[in-house]
Amino acid sequence: MSSLEQKSSNKCCDGELRKYSFTSSALGGLSANLNVFLPSSALAGGGKKVPVLYYLAGLTCTEDNGAQKGGFHAAAAEHQIAVVYPDTSPRGAGAAGEDEAYDFGTGAGFYIDATKEPFAKHYQMWTHVTKEIPDVLSKAGLNLDTSNASITGHSMGGHGALTIYLGSPAGTYKSVSAFAPICHPTACPWGKKAFQGYFANGLTDGSKHDATELLTAAGGPSARNVDILIDSGTGDNFYKDGQLLPEDLAKAAMSAGYDDKQVQIRLQDGYDHSCE
Amino acid sequence: MSSLEQKSSNKCCDGELRKYSFTSSALGGLSANLNVFLPSSALAGGGKKVPVLYYLAGLTCTEDNGAQKGGFHAAAAEHQIAVVYPDTSPRGAGAAGEDEAYDFGTGAGFYIDATKEPFAKHYQMWTHVTKEIPDVLSKAGLNLDTSNASITGHSMGGHGALTIYLGSPAGTYKSVSAFAPICHPTACPWGKKAFQGYFANGLTDGSKHDATELLTAAGGPSARNVDILIDSGTGDNFYKDGQLLPEDLAKAAMSAGYDDKQVQIRLQDGYDHSCE
């Protein structure tokens, strides 16, 4: 893993939006892009460290979508939080089949570590997001408190945020939120295709990366407290098509004994899958 | 001019962002795109009409840039204002030379009515923005009060906003604001190239589309009151290269006797030309 190389910086909301790249060991030596919004206090010197919010993007997206269209930075500046935008897959891995569909391969890494060839060498987005990026950020002198982090995302990135939150030791991330996340991937077409393509044991391994399965396995408040907020729109065609299944996550939460303060799932009338 | 054809609608900030197209007489019969954010009260029925803010985009942009990246809709919803996003030029005019550079022709209409061939037939963005779009909107049953309008823009679109405001009868637009506008186009490379390319009489005609010249000609507060707000960044390379020249507009305002309430020009430390 190389250190961060800064490609550009733009002043934004009294902070800076910076574009970085680095050579990613997790992604098999490929170059990885990363955007970071740094609020003013992180730039002011004096070593004041700020909390970190990871934003994971959806299918076909890059590190730019959330940074350019998300509209997060005014609120991040108000609360003095850094926002970190990883890419959604390795780029240029050269794996057979990676560029044949929008929902698998390039732009569709699903935030898992692939175990099936020809994807295992490069498609290690779980390790990239959970270990490598926090590591490279903490060594970059950016005044980020990577131990004080939360995670969010949209669609496939909402799946990533939920599964990384639930699949990491309690407290690794303070909270998770998601827009229109894929909540039950082992039961929807997108998730089945991805898990069968990336995992040697297909859906069996996929269940460890399935928010509904993970919440069931979490065992309820007596075993683990959670802080989950989901917004999903009723006008979302992917919701109507059964790709998102927030109702399955809601059932799992209820069965496990979580109340709607620990697992808050809001269906927003008429909103669709787009960011706008 | 055909009526508006709705291409899509996305719920946003309790309102809707709609994409329209129509056959534009002003643009010589070409299809023109137009985005409109409608706040909730315009959608609620009952015929309550809302004010309109026009946003004019910059070089290389389309009707999508401001709508997707501008972050305007939360504020527009708060104040119940519609935001209208025109394109920046005709598309597919087929005029020789229109696709040779980023700063002339396609994506670079400069909000003027061209008088020079081969551009005169299609490059009529002044008429398109000031007459045709208000007309097609007022006939579309969208509950817009097109007589209660203001105008804003970025870069070339800031030039468009300033010159349309100053070049229209007083009161046509309530106010104008602009991010990093081209303030003195007859004195900068972008403007000289555009005006010499689009106008039969080059810069002579161009002076009627030059904010600095128009403000000088406005004659001061005794002749016409104005309400102008400009934000331009000191980290903007186009500002450093002399493409924007807000200092020339400031001098013209002072010479004409406008104070900094009527013409407010703010240089923002370290901000660059990008929207982010």
Side-chain angles (χ1 to χ4, degrees):
Chain A
M1 181 185 81
S2 71
S3 56
L4 289 179
E5 181 185 351
Q6 185 172 316
K7 315 296 280 186
S8 68
S9 175
N10 297 93
K11 190 166 176 181
C12 172
C13 300
D14 286 326
E16 287 184 19
L17 178 65
R18 294 187 183 172
K19 295 179 76 68
Y20 294 103
S21 70
F22 67 100
T23 302
S24 165
S25 304
L27 304 182
L30 295 173
S31 178
N33 293 327
L34 185 68
N35 293 340
V36 181
F37 171 75
L38 294 172
S40 57
S41 64
L43 298 168
K48 179 170 165 51
K49 293 193 172 186
V50 299
V52 175
L53 176 65
Y54 295 93
Y55 173 85
L56 305 183
L59 289 167
T60 78
C61 291
T62 70
E63 72 282 2
D64 284 338
N65 295 69
Q68 294 182 351
K69 300 182 178 178
F72 298 134
H73 300 154
E78 182 185 348
H79 297 285
Q80 292 293 303
I81 292 169
V83 189
V84 174
Y85 303 92
D87 200 351
T88 58
S89 76
R91 301 280 162 179
E98 72 178 354
D99 292 322
E100 290 175 3
Y102 80 98
D103 57 1
F104 186 78
T106 302
F110 272 83
Y111 305 101
I112 53 82
D113 286 347
T115 53
K116 190 171 174 177
E117 296 306 339
F119 301 102
K121 181 176 178 188
H122 297 293
Y123 282 75
Q124 302 287 318
M125 289 299 291
W126 173 279
T127 297
H128 179 61
V129 169
T130 64
K131 296 190 175 63
E132 188 172 57
I133 287 176
D135 191 25
V136 74
L137 287 173
S138 67
K139 291 173 181 166
L142 296 176
N143 295 323
L144 304 181
D145 181 3
T146 54
S147 71
N148 188 8
S150 288
I151 192 162
T152 187
H154 173 242
S155 193
M156 175 186 75
H159 145 76
L162 289 166
T163 55
I164 285 172
Y165 174 83
L166 289 166
S168 300
T172 307
Y173 302 89
K174 306 295 181 192
S175 67
V176 62
S177 59
F179 297 107
I182 303 169
C183 292
H184 196 180
T186 60
C188 81
W190 278 340
K192 287 180 183 174
K193 178 178 179 179
F195 292 166
Q196 285 163 347
Y198 290 132
F199 290 130
N201 296 312
L203 299 186
T204 306
D205 287 355
S207 66
K208 298 167 203 162
H209 292 271
D210 180 304
T212 296
E213 301 291 335
L214 286 165
L215 192 62
T216 300
S222 63
R224 176 173 174 175
N225 286 314
V226 297
D227 187 351
I228 297 174
L229 172 62
I230 289 170
D231 275 322
S232 212
T234 63
D236 182 331
N237 284 330
F238 297 119
Y239 168 67
K240 296 175 189 171
D241 289 347
Q243 294 280 21
L244 308 182
L245 302 171
E247 61 273 21
D248 290 4
L249 188 67
K251 276 184 213 160
M254 193 176 296
S255 296
Y258 290 111
D259 65 20
D260 60 8
K261 287 179 184 152
Q262 293 213 33
V263 182
Q264 189 173 3
I265 300 177
R266 305 187 296 201
L267 290 183
Q268 303 286 0
D269 184 48
Y271 283 83
D272 64 28
H273 203 67
S274 62
C275 295
E276 188 57 77
Chain B
M1 182 185 80
S2 71
S3 56
L4 288 179
E5 181 185 352
Q6 185 173 316
K7 314 296 280 187
S8 68
S9 176
N10 297 92
K11 190 166 177 181
C12 172
C13 298
D14 286 326
E16 287 184 21
L17 178 64
R18 294 186 183 174
K19 296 178 76 68
Y20 293 104
S21 69
F22 67 101
T23 302
S24 165
S25 305
L27 304 184
L30 295 173
S31 178
N33 294 327
L34 185 69
N35 293 341
V36 181
F37 171 75
L38 293 171
S40 57
S41 64
L43 299 168
K48 178 171 168 50
K49 293 193 171 187
V50 299
V52 176
L53 175 65
Y54 295 93
Y55 173 85
L56 305 183
L59 289 167
T60 76
C61 291
T62 72
E63 71 282 2
D64 283 338
N65 296 68
Q68 294 182 351
K69 299 182 179 178
F72 298 134
H73 300 154
E78 182 185 347
H79 298 284
Q80 291 293 302
I81 293 170
V83 189
V84 174
Y85 302 91
D87 201 351
T88 58
S89 76
R91 301 281 161 179
E98 72 178 354
D99 292 324
E100 290 176 2
Y102 80 97
D103 57 1
F104 186 78
T106 303
F110 271 84
Y111 306 102
I112 53 82
D113 286 347
T115 54
K116 189 171 173 177
E117 298 304 341
F119 301 102
K121 181 177 178 188
H122 296 293
Y123 282 75
Q124 303 286 318
M125 290 298 291
W126 173 279
T127 298
H128 179 61
V129 169
T130 65
K131 296 188 176 64
E132 187 171 57
I133 288 176
D135 191 26
V136 74
L137 288 173
S138 67
K139 292 173 178 164
L142 296 176
N143 295 324
L144 304 181
D145 180 3
T146 53
S147 70
N148 187 8
S150 287
I151 192 163
T152 187
H154 172 241
S155 192
M156 176 186 74
H159 144 76
L162 289 167
T163 55
I164 285 173
Y165 174 83
L166 289 167
S168 300
T172 307
Y173 302 89
K174 307 295 182 193
S175 67
V176 62
S177 59
F179 297 107
I182 303 170
C183 292
H184 197 179
T186 59
C188 81
W190 278 340
K192 287 180 183 175
K193 178 179 179 179
F195 291 166
Q196 286 164 347
Y198 290 132
F199 290 131
N201 295 313
L203 299 186
T204 305
D205 287 355
S207 66
K208 298 168 201 159
H209 292 271
D210 181 305
T212 296
E213 301 290 335
L214 286 165
L215 193 63
T216 299
S222 62
R224 177 173 173 175
N225 286 313
V226 297
D227 187 352
I228 298 174
L229 172 62
I230 289 170
D231 274 323
S232 212
T234 63
D236 182 332
N237 285 331
F238 297 119
Y239 168 66
K240 295 175 190 171
D241 289 348
Q243 295 279 21
L244 308 181
L245 300 171
E247 61 275 20
D248 291 4
L249 188 67
K251 276 184 212 159
M254 193 175 294
S255 297
Y258 291 111
D259 64 21
D260 59 8
K261 286 179 184 149
Q262 292 213 34
V263 182
Q264 189 174 3
I265 300 176
R266 305 187 295 202
L267 290 184
Q268 303 285 359
D269 184 48
Y271 283 83
D272 64 28
H273 203 67
S274 63
C275 296
E276 187 57 74

